[in-house]
Coordinates of all heavy atoms in Angstrom, one line a residue:
W1 N -13.3 1.9 -1.1 CA -13.2 1.1 -2.3 C -14.1 1.7 -3.4 O -14.3 1.0 -4.4 CB -13.7 -0.4 -2.0 CG -12.8 -1.1 -1.0 CD1 -11.7 -0.6 -0.4 CD2 -13.1 -2.4 -0.5 NE1 -11.2 -1.6 0.5 CE2 -12.0 -2.6 0.5 CE3 -14.1 -3.3 -0.7 CZ2 -12.0 -3.8 1.2 CZ3 -14.0 -4.5 0.1 CH2 -13.0 -4.8 1.0
K2 N -14.5 2.9 -3.3 CA -15.3 3.5 -4.3 C -14.5 4.0 -5.5 O -15.0 4.2 -6.6 CB -16.1 4.7 -3.8 CG -17.2 4.3 -2.8 CD -18.0 5.4 -2.3 CE -17.2 6.4 -1.5 NZ -18.0 7.6 -1.1
K3 N -13.2 4.3 -5.3 CA -12.4 4.9 -6.3 C -11.1 4.1 -6.5 O -10.4 3.8 -5.6 CB -12.0 6.3 -5.9 CG -11.1 7.1 -6.9 CD -10.7 8.5 -6.5 CE -9.8 9.2 -7.5 NZ -9.5 10.5 -7.0
V4 N -10.9 3.7 -7.8 CA -9.7 3.0 -8.2 C -8.7 4.1 -8.7 O -8.9 4.8 -9.6 CB -9.9 2.0 -9.3 CG1 -8.6 1.2 -9.7 CG2 -11.0 1.0 -8.9
T5 N -7.5 4.1 -8.1 CA -6.4 5.0 -8.5 C -5.5 4.5 -9.6 O -5.6 3.3 -9.9 CB -5.6 5.4 -7.2 OG1 -4.7 4.3 -6.9 CG2 -6.4 5.8 -6.0
G6 N -4.6 5.3 -10.0 CA -3.7 4.8 -11.0 C -2.4 4.3 -10.4 O -1.5 3.9 -11.1
T7 N -2.4 4.3 -9.1 CA -1.2 3.8 -8.3 C -1.2 2.3 -8.1 O -2.2 1.8 -7.7 CB -1.1 4.5 -7.0 OG1 -1.1 5.9 -7.1 CG2 0.2 4.1 -6.2
T8 N -0.1 1.6 -8.3 CA -0.1 0.2 -8.0 C 0.1 0.0 -6.5 O 0.7 0.9 -5.9 CB 1.0 -0.5 -8.8 OG1 2.3 -0.1 -8.3 CG2 0.9 -0.2 -10.3
I9 N -0.3 -1.1 -6.0 CA -0.1 -1.4 -4.6 C 1.4 -1.4 -4.3 O 1.8 -1.1 -3.2 CB -0.7 -2.7 -4.2 CG1 -0.2 -3.9 -5.0 CG2 -2.2 -2.6 -4.4 CD1 -0.7 -5.2 -4.5
F10 N 2.3 -1.8 -5.2 CA 3.7 -1.9 -5.0 C 4.3 -0.5 -4.9 O 5.2 -0.3 -4.0 CB 4.4 -2.7 -6.1 CG 3.7 -4.0 -6.4 CD1 3.1 -4.2 -7.6 CD2 3.7 -5.0 -5.5 CE1 2.4 -5.4 -7.9 CE2 3.1 -6.2 -5.7 CZ 2.5 -6.4 -6.9
E11 N 3.8 0.4 -5.7 CA 4.3 1.8 -5.6 C 3.9 2.4 -4.2 O 4.7 3.1 -3.6 CB 3.7 2.7 -6.7 CG 4.2 2.3 -8.1 CD 3.4 3.0 -9.2 OE1 2.2 3.3 -9.0 OE2 4.0 3.2 -10.3
L12 N 2.7 2.1 -3.7 CA 2.3 2.6 -2.4 C 3.1 2.0 -1.3 O 3.6 2.7 -0.4 CB 0.8 2.3 -2.2 CG 0.2 2.7 -0.9 CD1 0.4 4.2 -0.6 CD2 -1.2 2.2 -0.7
I13 N 3.3 0.7 -1.3 CA 4.1 0.0 -0.3 C 5.5 0.5 -0.2 O 6.1 0.7 0.9 CB 4.0 -1.5 -0.5 CG1 2.6 -2.1 -0.4 CG2 5.0 -2.2 0.5 CD1 2.4 -3.5 -0.9
D14 N 6.1 0.8 -1.4 CA 7.5 1.2 -1.4 C 7.7 2.5 -0.7 O 8.8 2.8 -0.2 CB 7.9 1.4 -2.9 CG 8.2 0.1 -3.6 OD1 8.4 -0.9 -2.9 OD2 8.3 0.1 -4.8
R15 N 6.6 3.3 -0.5 CA 6.7 4.6 0.2 C 6.9 4.4 1.7 O 7.4 5.3 2.4 CB 5.4 5.5 -0.1 CG 5.2 5.9 -1.5 CD 3.8 6.4 -1.7 NE 3.5 6.8 -3.1 CZ 2.3 7.0 -3.6 NH1 1.3 7.0 -2.7 NH2 2.2 7.4 -4.8
Y16 N 6.4 3.2 2.2 CA 6.4 3.0 3.6 C 7.2 1.8 4.1 O 7.4 1.7 5.3 CB 4.9 2.8 4.0 CG 4.0 3.9 3.8 CD1 3.2 3.9 2.7 CD2 3.9 5.0 4.7 CE1 2.3 5.0 2.4 CE2 3.0 6.1 4.4 CZ 2.3 6.0 3.3 OH 1.4 7.1 3.0
K17 N 7.7 1.0 3.2 CA 8.3 -0.2 3.6 C 9.5 -0.1 4.6 O 9.7 -1.1 5.4 CB 8.8 -1.0 2.4 CG 9.9 -0.3 1.6 CD 10.3 -1.1 0.4 CE 11.4 -0.4 -0.4 NZ 11.8 -1.2 -1.6
E18 N 10.2 1.0 4.6 CA 11.3 1.1 5.6 C 10.8 1.6 7.0 O 11.6 1.7 7.9 CB 12.3 2.1 5.0 CG 12.9 1.8 3.7 CD 13.6 0.4 3.7 OE1 14.1 0.1 4.7 OE2 13.7 -0.2 2.6
R19 N 9.5 2.0 7.1 CA 9.1 2.7 8.3 C 8.0 1.9 9.1 O 7.7 2.3 10.2 CB 8.5 4.1 7.9 CG 9.4 4.9 7.0 CD 10.4 5.7 7.8 NE 9.8 6.8 8.5 CZ 9.6 8.0 7.9 NH1 9.9 8.2 6.7 NH2 9.1 9.0 8.7
I20 N 7.5 0.8 8.5 CA 6.4 0.1 9.1 C 6.8 -1.3 9.4 O 7.8 -1.8 8.9 CB 5.1 0.1 8.2 CG1 5.4 -0.5 6.9 CG2 4.6 1.5 8.1 CD1 4.2 -0.7 6.0
K21 N 6.0 -1.9 10.3 CA 6.1 -3.3 10.6 C 5.1 -4.2 10.0 O 5.3 -5.4 9.7 CB 6.1 -3.5 12.2 CG 6.4 -4.9 12.7 CD 6.5 -4.9 14.2 CE 6.8 -6.3 14.7 NZ 6.8 -6.3 16.2
Y22 N 3.8 -3.7 9.9 CA 2.7 -4.5 9.4 C 2.1 -3.9 8.1 O 2.0 -2.7 7.9 CB 1.6 -4.5 10.5 CG 2.0 -5.0 11.8 CD1 2.3 -4.2 12.9 CD2 2.2 -6.4 12.0 CE1 2.7 -4.7 14.1 CE2 2.6 -6.9 13.2 CZ 2.8 -6.0 14.3 OH 3.2 -6.5 15.5
L23 N 1.8 -4.9 7.2 CA 1.1 -4.5 6.0 C -0.1 -5.4 5.8 O 0.0 -6.7 5.9 CB 2.1 -4.7 4.8 CG 1.5 -4.7 3.4 CD1 1.0 -3.2 3.1 CD2 2.5 -5.2 2.3
M24 N -1.3 -4.8 5.6 CA -2.5 -5.6 5.3 C -2.9 -5.4 3.9 O -3.0 -4.2 3.5 CB -3.6 -5.1 6.3 CG -4.9 -5.9 6.1 SD -6.2 -5.2 7.2 CE -5.5 -5.5 8.8
C25 N -3.1 -6.4 3.2 CA -3.5 -6.3 1.8 C -4.8 -7.0 1.5 O -4.9 -8.2 1.8 CB -2.4 -6.8 0.8 SG -2.9 -6.6 -0.9
T26 N -5.8 -6.3 1.0 CA -7.1 -6.9 0.7 C -7.3 -6.9 -0.8 O -7.2 -5.9 -1.5 CB -8.3 -6.0 1.3 OG1 -8.1 -6.0 2.7 CG2 -9.6 -6.6 1.0
D27 N -7.6 -8.1 -1.3 CA -7.9 -8.3 -2.7 C -9.4 -8.1 -2.8 O -10.2 -9.0 -2.5 CB -7.5 -9.7 -3.2 CG -7.7 -9.8 -4.7 OD1 -8.6 -9.1 -5.3 OD2 -7.0 -10.6 -5.3

């Protein structure tokens, strides 16, 4: 959590959504 990227969480999830079963999201 030291570095904030320019990627949105939705852009990241979209890369994996067809391949995974579980998603953990921490606010």
Side-chain angles (χ1 to χ4, degrees):
W1 300 353
K2 294 184 295 181
K3 180 180 178 181
V4 182
T5 72
T7 304
T8 70
I9 60 173
F10 310 112
E11 290 169 335
L12 177 60
I13 296 167
D14 285 344
R15 298 168 182 165
Y16 297 98
K17 63 182 180 181
E18 304 296 336
R19 309 279 284 277
I20 59 172
K21 185 176 180 180
Y22 301 103
L23 171 69
M24 181 184 299
C25 182
T26 301
D27 186 333

